Amino acid sequence: MSTIDNLPPLRDVIARHDLRAKKQLGQNFLLDLNLTAKIARNAGDMSGCDVLEIGPGPGGLTRGLLAEGARHVLAIEKDARALPALAEIAEAYPGRLTVIHGDALQVDPLAHLTPPIRIAANLPYNVGTELLIRWLTPKAWPPFWESLTLMFQKEVAERITAKPGSKAYGRLALLSQWRADARIVMSLPPEAFVPAPKIHSAVVHLTALPEPRYPADPTVLSQVTAAAFNQRRKMLRASLRGLHPDIETLLQDAGIAPTARAEEIDLEHFCALARHLQHARSGG
């Protein structure tokens, strides 16, 4: 039996159900249940929360979330091979685990969740960033979730939490930090996984802010940061020229030197530029 519940160790579960990780599904299984329980603890107090999990696989993190007291877990799993193993967990935790067989990019989880809601997942590598961006860019803010506790490749985690001037700083950092507090809470070596990936992994915890850190229209801010970081080696007056004929004046109005480069500009000034650009476009 495992150290966190009365279910079998994950290696036994994987062997019994022939759950070898599939590279095309971005699978790397974390087998140490003490580590999955630690990740679950980083999601905070879940006793009064529903938790959305993406890509549970054999259920290591699922078991951690339930053992740490999650009120209810909704697990979305694309790989049908994992469903029998997840059904065994559901039987061990009656009424607290719902499993949906489907693609997380296609399934709407909200019909199955009751607020407050947290999201916790060892995200499949091939969809992790896309899911994060979706969760950070809903039509209305605040979002349906209170916090995200997500495992990524360490390089992606560093991009989420990067500060101006660093090599990792870019659109993902701005998007994450505009509407959330983001920090790396755990790092994991390749040998913690089966099969061992070629890279290190890290867990990022993001807490949704009640409102964005600085006012800005999401669409305009996205246009500004896309243009700026698409040509990050160029001066901003050149990389942003296509956004407005008088971009140099708008940069100066926002407190940004036209000769600056994207990686030098913090979130506050990008938001200021987005506001000035929106005002100029509206004829103000």
mmCIF file of all heavy atoms in Angstrom, residues 148-187:
data_model
loop_
_atom_site.group_PDB
_atom_site.id
_atom_site.type_symbol
_atom_site.label_atom_id
_atom_site.label_comp_id
_atom_site.label_asym_id
_atom_site.label_seq_id
_atom_site.Cartn_x
_atom_site.Cartn_y
_atom_site.Cartn_z
ATOM 1 N N LEU A 148 -4.176 28.559 -9.638
ATOM 2 C CA LEU A 148 -3.650 27.526 -10.533
ATOM 3 C C LEU A 148 -2.375 26.979 -9.899
ATOM 4 O O LEU A 148 -1.491 27.763 -9.514
ATOM 5 C CB LEU A 148 -3.313 28.103 -11.906
ATOM 6 C CG LEU A 148 -4.365 28.948 -12.629
ATOM 7 C CD1 LEU A 148 -3.762 29.570 -13.880
ATOM 8 C CD2 LEU A 148 -5.568 28.087 -12.997
ATOM 9 N N THR A 149 -2.270 25.672 -9.792
ATOM 10 C CA THR A 149 -1.039 25.032 -9.316
ATOM 11 C C THR A 149 -0.653 24.036 -10.399
ATOM 12 O O THR A 149 -1.270 22.966 -10.513
ATOM 13 C CB THR A 149 -1.257 24.343 -7.959
ATOM 14 O OG1 THR A 149 -1.803 25.293 -7.033
ATOM 15 C CG2 THR A 149 0.065 23.817 -7.400
ATOM 16 N N LEU A 150 0.341 24.398 -11.207
ATOM 17 C CA LEU A 150 0.583 23.695 -12.466
ATOM 18 C C LEU A 150 2.045 23.321 -12.629
ATOM 19 O O LEU A 150 2.939 24.124 -12.346
ATOM 20 C CB LEU A 150 0.167 24.594 -13.638
ATOM 21 C CG LEU A 150 -1.260 25.160 -13.592
ATOM 22 C CD1 LEU A 150 -1.447 26.171 -14.710
ATOM 23 C CD2 LEU A 150 -2.283 24.042 -13.688
ATOM 24 N N MET A 151 2.274 22.109 -13.117
ATOM 25 C CA MET A 151 3.634 21.686 -13.415
ATOM 26 C C MET A 151 3.939 21.906 -14.888
ATOM 27 O O MET A 151 3.150 21.542 -15.758
ATOM 28 C CB MET A 151 3.851 20.224 -13.065
ATOM 29 C CG MET A 151 5.321 19.817 -13.175
ATOM 30 S SD MET A 151 5.571 18.066 -12.872
ATOM 31 C CE MET A 151 4.863 17.894 -11.258
ATOM 32 N N PHE A 152 5.091 22.521 -15.146
ATOM 33 C CA PHE A 152 5.560 22.800 -16.500
ATOM 34 C C PHE A 152 7.016 22.365 -16.633
ATOM 35 O O PHE A 152 7.693 22.083 -15.640
ATOM 36 C CB PHE A 152 5.520 24.309 -16.786
ATOM 37 C CG PHE A 152 4.154 24.922 -16.839
ATOM 38 C CD1 PHE A 152 3.643 25.601 -15.743
ATOM 39 C CD2 PHE A 152 3.380 24.862 -17.984
ATOM 40 C CE1 PHE A 152 2.396 26.191 -15.782
ATOM 41 C CE2 PHE A 152 2.124 25.450 -18.041
ATOM 42 C CZ PHE A 152 1.626 26.118 -16.935
ATOM 43 N N GLN A 153 7.497 22.371 -17.858
ATOM 44 C CA GLN A 153 8.936 22.351 -18.051
ATOM 45 C C GLN A 153 9.509 23.569 -17.322
ATOM 46 O O GLN A 153 8.912 24.639 -17.321
ATOM 47 C CB GLN A 153 9.269 22.440 -19.533
ATOM 48 C CG GLN A 153 8.726 21.299 -20.369
ATOM 49 C CD GLN A 153 8.981 21.498 -21.845
ATOM 50 O OE1 GLN A 153 10.098 21.818 -22.239
ATOM 51 N NE2 GLN A 153 7.960 21.313 -22.665
ATOM 52 N N LYS A 154 10.673 23.402 -16.706
ATOM 53 C CA LYS A 154 11.235 24.479 -15.891
ATOM 54 C C LYS A 154 11.412 25.761 -16.704
ATOM 55 O O LYS A 154 11.212 26.867 -16.203
ATOM 56 C CB LYS A 154 12.573 24.051 -15.280
ATOM 57 C CG LYS A 154 13.087 25.012 -14.228
ATOM 58 C CD LYS A 154 14.340 24.490 -13.552
ATOM 59 C CE LYS A 154 14.789 25.444 -12.453
ATOM 60 N NZ LYS A 154 16.049 24.956 -11.817
ATOM 61 N N GLU A 155 11.768 25.608 -17.975
ATOM 62 C CA GLU A 155 11.953 26.775 -18.842
ATOM 63 C C GLU A 155 10.658 27.582 -18.968
ATOM 64 O O GLU A 155 10.666 28.812 -18.951
ATOM 65 C CB GLU A 155 12.416 26.313 -20.224
ATOM 66 C CG GLU A 155 12.566 27.431 -21.239
ATOM 67 C CD GLU A 155 12.837 26.922 -22.640
ATOM 68 O OE1 GLU A 155 13.218 25.749 -22.785
ATOM 69 O OE2 GLU A 155 12.652 27.706 -23.595
ATOM 70 N N VAL A 156 9.522 26.886 -19.084
ATOM 71 C CA VAL A 156 8.227 27.571 -19.171
ATOM 72 C C VAL A 156 7.886 28.235 -17.843
ATOM 73 O O VAL A 156 7.406 29.369 -17.802
ATOM 74 C CB VAL A 156 7.123 26.582 -19.593
ATOM 75 C CG1 VAL A 156 5.762 27.266 -19.597
ATOM 76 C CG2 VAL A 156 7.428 26.003 -20.963
ATOM 77 N N ALA A 157 8.148 27.538 -16.735
ATOM 78 C CA ALA A 157 7.887 28.109 -15.412
ATOM 79 C C ALA A 157 8.670 29.405 -15.217
ATOM 80 O O ALA A 157 8.162 30.388 -14.650
ATOM 81 C CB ALA A 157 8.256 27.098 -14.334
ATOM 82 N N GLU A 158 9.910 29.416 -15.697
ATOM 83 C CA GLU A 158 10.740 30.620 -15.569
ATOM 84 C C GLU A 158 10.225 31.743 -16.459
ATOM 85 O O GLU A 158 10.336 32.919 -16.103
ATOM 86 C CB GLU A 158 12.188 30.276 -15.897
ATOM 87 C CG GLU A 158 12.838 29.413 -14.821
ATOM 88 C CD GLU A 158 14.199 28.875 -15.215
ATOM 89 O OE1 GLU A 158 14.524 28.900 -16.437
ATOM 90 O OE2 GLU A 158 14.932 28.413 -14.318
ATOM 91 N N ARG A 159 9.625 31.400 -17.592
ATOM 92 C CA ARG A 159 9.031 32.432 -18.457
ATOM 93 C C ARG A 159 7.797 33.046 -17.801
ATOM 94 O O ARG A 159 7.523 34.235 -17.956
ATOM 95 C CB ARG A 159 8.668 31.828 -19.809
ATOM 96 C CG ARG A 159 9.864 31.575 -20.725
ATOM 97 C CD ARG A 159 9.474 30.721 -21.922
ATOM 98 N NE ARG A 159 8.337 31.283 -22.640
ATOM 99 C CZ ARG A 159 7.503 30.568 -23.393
ATOM 100 N NH1 ARG A 159 7.664 29.256 -23.499
ATOM 101 N NH2 ARG A 159 6.514 31.158 -24.020
ATOM 102 N N ILE A 160 7.044 32.248 -17.065
ATOM 103 C CA ILE A 160 5.841 32.740 -16.392
ATOM 104 C C ILE A 160 6.191 33.730 -15.291
ATOM 105 O O ILE A 160 5.497 34.729 -15.085
ATOM 106 C CB ILE A 160 5.045 31.551 -15.812
ATOM 107 C CG1 ILE A 160 4.475 30.692 -16.949
ATOM 108 C CG2 ILE A 160 3.921 32.019 -14.887
ATOM 109 C CD1 ILE A 160 3.939 29.345 -16.487
ATOM 110 N N THR A 161 7.278 33.486 -14.582
ATOM 111 C CA THR A 161 7.635 34.283 -13.403
ATOM 112 C C THR A 161 8.756 35.287 -13.664
ATOM 113 O O THR A 161 9.210 35.948 -12.743
ATOM 114 C CB THR A 161 8.053 33.351 -12.251
ATOM 115 O OG1 THR A 161 9.154 32.524 -12.680
ATOM 116 C CG2 THR A 161 6.895 32.445 -11.835
ATOM 117 N N ALA A 162 9.184 35.428 -14.919
ATOM 118 C CA ALA A 162 10.348 36.268 -15.250
ATOM 119 C C ALA A 162 10.096 37.751 -14.992
ATOM 120 O O ALA A 162 8.967 38.235 -15.037
ATOM 121 C CB ALA A 162 10.726 36.056 -16.715
ATOM 122 N N LYS A 163 11.192 38.458 -14.731
ATOM 123 C CA LYS A 163 11.158 39.902 -14.513
ATOM 124 C C LYS A 163 11.834 40.628 -15.679
ATOM 125 O O LYS A 163 12.639 40.043 -16.400
ATOM 126 C CB LYS A 163 11.865 40.255 -13.200
ATOM 127 C CG LYS A 163 11.247 39.591 -11.969
ATOM 128 C CD LYS A 163 9.776 39.945 -11.811
ATOM 129 C CE LYS A 163 9.137 39.262 -10.613
ATOM 130 N NZ LYS A 163 7.668 39.476 -10.563
ATOM 131 N N PRO A 164 11.508 41.918 -15.879
ATOM 132 C CA PRO A 164 12.130 42.676 -16.981
ATOM 133 C C PRO A 164 13.651 42.593 -16.934
ATOM 134 O O PRO A 164 14.261 42.595 -15.858
ATOM 135 C CB PRO A 164 11.638 44.106 -16.728
ATOM 136 C CG PRO A 164 10.364 43.958 -15.971
ATOM 137 C CD PRO A 164 10.573 42.741 -15.102
ATOM 138 N N GLY A 165 14.235 42.495 -18.103
ATOM 139 C CA GLY A 165 15.687 42.450 -18.213
ATOM 140 C C GLY A 165 16.250 41.046 -18.267
ATOM 141 O O GLY A 165 17.408 40.853 -18.622
ATOM 142 N N SER A 166 15.441 40.053 -17.913
ATOM 143 C CA SER A 166 15.927 38.676 -17.947
ATOM 144 C C SER A 166 15.660 38.060 -19.319
ATOM 145 O O SER A 166 14.768 38.489 -20.051
ATOM 146 C CB SER A 166 15.255 37.848 -16.856
ATOM 147 O OG SER A 166 13.870 37.730 -17.106
ATOM 148 N N LYS A 167 16.417 37.022 -19.632
ATOM 149 C CA LYS A 167 16.288 36.371 -20.933
ATOM 150 C C LYS A 167 14.915 35.728 -21.104
ATOM 151 O O LYS A 167 14.385 35.661 -22.206
ATOM 152 C CB LYS A 167 17.387 35.312 -21.065
ATOM 153 C CG LYS A 167 17.471 34.669 -22.442
ATOM 154 C CD LYS A 167 18.629 33.686 -22.515
ATOM 155 C CE LYS A 167 18.709 33.043 -23.887
ATOM 156 N NZ LYS A 167 19.815 32.050 -23.973
ATOM 157 N N ALA A 168 14.326 35.263 -19.996
ATOM 158 C CA ALA A 168 13.043 34.565 -20.058
ATOM 159 C C ALA A 168 11.852 35.516 -20.143
ATOM 160 O O ALA A 168 10.728 35.083 -20.414
ATOM 161 C CB ALA A 168 12.885 33.663 -18.830
ATOM 162 N N TYR A 169 12.073 36.807 -19.928
ATOM 163 C CA TYR A 169 10.978 37.777 -19.866
ATOM 164 C C TYR A 169 10.336 37.969 -21.227
ATOM 165 O O TYR A 169 11.021 38.144 -22.236
ATOM 166 C CB TYR A 169 11.532 39.104 -19.366
ATOM 167 C CG TYR A 169 10.520 40.212 -19.195
ATOM 168 C CD1 TYR A 169 9.510 40.135 -18.249
ATOM 169 C CD2 TYR A 169 10.603 41.369 -19.974
ATOM 170 C CE1 TYR A 169 8.605 41.170 -18.077
ATOM 171 C CE2 TYR A 169 9.711 42.423 -19.799
ATOM 172 C CZ TYR A 169 8.715 42.315 -18.853
ATOM 173 O OH TYR A 169 7.829 43.345 -18.680
ATOM 174 N N GLY A 170 8.993 37.901 -21.245
ATOM 175 C CA GLY A 170 8.290 38.076 -22.509
ATOM 176 C C GLY A 170 6.793 38.123 -22.286
ATOM 177 O O GLY A 170 6.305 38.424 -21.194
ATOM 178 N N ARG A 171 6.040 37.797 -23.326
ATOM 179 C CA ARG A 171 4.572 37.902 -23.273
ATOM 180 C C ARG A 171 3.961 37.016 -22.189
ATOM 181 O O ARG A 171 2.981 37.403 -21.553
ATOM 182 C CB ARG A 171 3.964 37.507 -24.616
ATOM 183 C CG ARG A 171 4.261 38.471 -25.753
ATOM 184 C CD ARG A 171 3.429 38.106 -26.970
ATOM 185 N NE ARG A 171 2.016 38.465 -26.787
ATOM 186 C CZ ARG A 171 1.027 37.960 -27.496
ATOM 187 N NH1 ARG A 171 1.265 37.057 -28.423
ATOM 188 N NH2 ARG A 171 -0.218 38.347 -27.284
ATOM 189 N N LEU A 172 4.510 35.826 -21.993
ATOM 190 C CA LEU A 172 3.929 34.918 -21.005
ATOM 191 C C LEU A 172 4.060 35.491 -19.595
ATOM 192 O O LEU A 172 3.135 35.374 -18.785
ATOM 193 C CB LEU A 172 4.587 33.547 -21.098
ATOM 194 C CG LEU A 172 3.858 32.392 -20.409
ATOM 195 C CD1 LEU A 172 2.430 32.269 -20.903
ATOM 196 C CD2 LEU A 172 4.616 31.095 -20.619
ATOM 197 N N ALA A 173 5.180 36.130 -19.299
ATOM 198 C CA ALA A 173 5.352 36.772 -17.994
ATOM 199 C C ALA A 173 4.358 37.909 -17.813
ATOM 200 O O ALA A 173 3.724 38.045 -16.756
ATOM 201 C CB ALA A 173 6.789 37.295 -17.855
ATOM 202 N N LEU A 174 4.201 38.744 -18.837
ATOM 203 C CA LEU A 174 3.286 39.882 -18.749
ATOM 204 C C LEU A 174 1.842 39.407 -18.586
ATOM 205 O O LEU A 174 1.093 39.929 -17.753
ATOM 206 C CB LEU A 174 3.419 40.751 -20.000
ATOM 207 C CG LEU A 174 4.707 41.577 -20.071
ATOM 208 C CD1 LEU A 174 4.983 41.997 -21.498
ATOM 209 C CD2 LEU A 174 4.614 42.792 -19.172
ATOM 210 N N LEU A 175 1.455 38.407 -19.357
ATOM 211 C CA LEU A 175 0.096 37.895 -19.298
ATOM 212 C C LEU A 175 -0.198 37.291 -17.924
ATOM 213 O O LEU A 175 -1.264 37.521 -17.344
ATOM 214 C CB LEU A 175 -0.091 36.832 -20.384
ATOM 215 C CG LEU A 175 -1.485 36.269 -20.586
ATOM 216 C CD1 LEU A 175 -2.465 37.358 -20.989
ATOM 217 C CD2 LEU A 175 -1.445 35.171 -21.646
ATOM 218 N N SER A 176 0.754 36.543 -17.394
ATOM 219 C CA SER A 176 0.566 35.891 -16.100
ATOM 220 C C SER A 176 0.536 36.899 -14.963
ATOM 221 O O SER A 176 -0.306 36.820 -14.060
ATOM 222 C CB SER A 176 1.692 34.879 -15.865
ATOM 223 O OG SER A 176 1.726 33.902 -16.881
ATOM 224 N N GLN A 177 1.447 37.849 -14.997
ATOM 225 C CA GLN A 177 1.606 38.759 -13.860
ATOM 226 C C GLN A 177 0.652 39.958 -13.921
ATOM 227 O O GLN A 177 0.499 40.662 -12.926
ATOM 228 C CB GLN A 177 3.060 39.215 -13.787
ATOM 229 C CG GLN A 177 4.010 38.060 -13.511
ATOM 230 C CD GLN A 177 5.468 38.415 -13.691
ATOM 231 O OE1 GLN A 177 5.910 39.497 -13.296
ATOM 232 N NE2 GLN A 177 6.233 37.518 -14.291
ATOM 233 N N TRP A 178 0.000 40.170 -15.048
ATOM 234 C CA TRP A 178 -0.978 41.261 -15.145
ATOM 235 C C TRP A 178 -2.208 40.972 -14.287
ATOM 236 O O TRP A 178 -2.753 41.850 -13.626
ATOM 237 C CB TRP A 178 -1.384 41.454 -16.610
ATOM 238 C CG TRP A 178 -2.368 42.568 -16.841
ATOM 239 C CD1 TRP A 178 -2.329 43.830 -16.295
ATOM 240 C CD2 TRP A 178 -3.525 42.530 -17.683
ATOM 241 N NE1 TRP A 178 -3.395 44.578 -16.749
ATOM 242 C CE2 TRP A 178 -4.142 43.804 -17.607
ATOM 243 C CE3 TRP A 178 -4.084 41.564 -18.504
ATOM 244 C CZ2 TRP A 178 -5.296 44.124 -18.306
ATOM 245 C CZ3 TRP A 178 -5.230 41.874 -19.218
ATOM 246 C CH2 TRP A 178 -5.828 43.142 -19.112
ATOM 247 N N ARG A 179 -2.625 39.701 -14.273
ATOM 248 C CA ARG A 179 -3.878 39.347 -13.598
ATOM 249 C C ARG A 179 -3.699 38.365 -12.448
ATOM 250 O O ARG A 179 -4.679 37.920 -11.851
ATOM 251 C CB ARG A 179 -4.848 38.732 -14.612
ATOM 252 C CG ARG A 179 -5.426 39.748 -15.593
ATOM 253 C CD ARG A 179 -6.234 39.045 -16.663
ATOM 254 N NE ARG A 179 -7.256 39.934 -17.238
ATOM 255 C CZ ARG A 179 -8.021 39.615 -18.269
ATOM 256 N NH1 ARG A 179 -7.871 38.444 -18.853
ATOM 257 N NH2 ARG A 179 -8.937 40.453 -18.713
ATOM 258 N N ALA A 180 -2.460 38.006 -12.135
ATOM 259 C CA ALA A 180 -2.239 37.002 -11.088
ATOM 260 C C ALA A 180 -0.893 37.226 -10.416
ATOM 261 O O ALA A 180 0.003 37.860 -10.969
ATOM 262 C CB ALA A 180 -2.303 35.593 -11.685
ATOM 263 N N ASP A 181 -0.784 36.720 -9.202
ATOM 264 C CA ASP A 181 0.512 36.594 -8.533
ATOM 265 C C ASP A 181 1.073 35.235 -8.910
ATOM 266 O O ASP A 181 0.396 34.208 -8.724
ATOM 267 C CB ASP A 181 0.354 36.689 -7.018
ATOM 268 C CG ASP A 181 0.127 38.118 -6.539
ATOM 269 O OD1 ASP A 181 0.686 39.045 -7.158
ATOM 270 O OD2 ASP A 181 -0.611 38.302 -5.552
ATOM 271 N N ALA A 182 2.281 35.195 -9.442
ATOM 272 C CA ALA A 182 2.861 33.944 -9.928
ATOM 273 C C ALA A 182 4.209 33.689 -9.263
ATOM 274 O O ALA A 182 5.048 34.581 -9.196
ATOM 275 C CB ALA A 182 3.034 34.008 -11.448
ATOM 276 N N ARG A 183 4.402 32.462 -8.771
ATOM 277 C CA ARG A 183 5.696 32.102 -8.174
ATOM 278 C C ARG A 183 5.965 30.617 -8.366
ATOM 279 O O ARG A 183 5.026 29.807 -8.434
ATOM 280 C CB ARG A 183 5.739 32.460 -6.693
ATOM 281 C CG ARG A 183 4.654 31.812 -5.856
ATOM 282 C CD ARG A 183 4.533 32.431 -4.474
ATOM 283 N NE ARG A 183 3.409 31.871 -3.740
ATOM 284 C CZ ARG A 183 3.504 30.840 -2.904
ATOM 285 N NH1 ARG A 183 4.681 30.276 -2.689
ATOM 286 N NH2 ARG A 183 2.437 30.367 -2.282
ATOM 287 N N ILE A 184 7.229 30.263 -8.477
ATOM 288 C CA ILE A 184 7.644 28.870 -8.546
ATOM 289 C C ILE A 184 7.704 28.330 -7.125
ATOM 290 O O ILE A 184 8.341 28.922 -6.259
ATOM 291 C CB ILE A 184 9.000 28.728 -9.253
ATOM 292 C CG1 ILE A 184 8.870 29.134 -10.727
ATOM 293 C CG2 ILE A 184 9.523 27.296 -9.142
ATOM 294 C CD1 ILE A 184 10.182 29.149 -11.488
ATOM 295 N N VAL A 185 7.004 27.209 -6.880
ATOM 296 C CA VAL A 185 6.939 26.670 -5.519
ATOM 297 C C VAL A 185 7.678 25.344 -5.367
ATOM 298 O O VAL A 185 7.940 24.905 -4.246
ATOM 299 C CB VAL A 185 5.468 26.507 -5.063
ATOM 300 C CG1 VAL A 185 4.800 27.859 -4.923
ATOM 301 C CG2 VAL A 185 4.669 25.622 -6.024
ATOM 302 N N MET A 186 8.019 24.688 -6.484
ATOM 303 C CA MET A 186 8.742 23.415 -6.436
ATOM 304 C C MET A 186 9.538 23.225 -7.713
ATOM 305 O O MET A 186 9.101 23.667 -8.774
ATOM 306 C CB MET A 186 7.774 22.222 -6.309
ATOM 307 C CG MET A 186 7.234 21.918 -4.938
ATOM 308 S SD MET A 186 6.095 20.483 -5.000
ATOM 309 C CE MET A 186 7.237 19.139 -5.366
ATOM 310 N N SER A 187 10.667 22.563 -7.600
ATOM 311 C CA SER A 187 11.427 22.133 -8.775
ATOM 312 C C SER A 187 11.617 20.625 -8.687
ATOM 313 O O SER A 187 11.806 20.078 -7.595
ATOM 314 C CB SER A 187 12.787 22.838 -8.829
ATOM 315 O OG SER A 187 12.626 24.219 -9.027
#
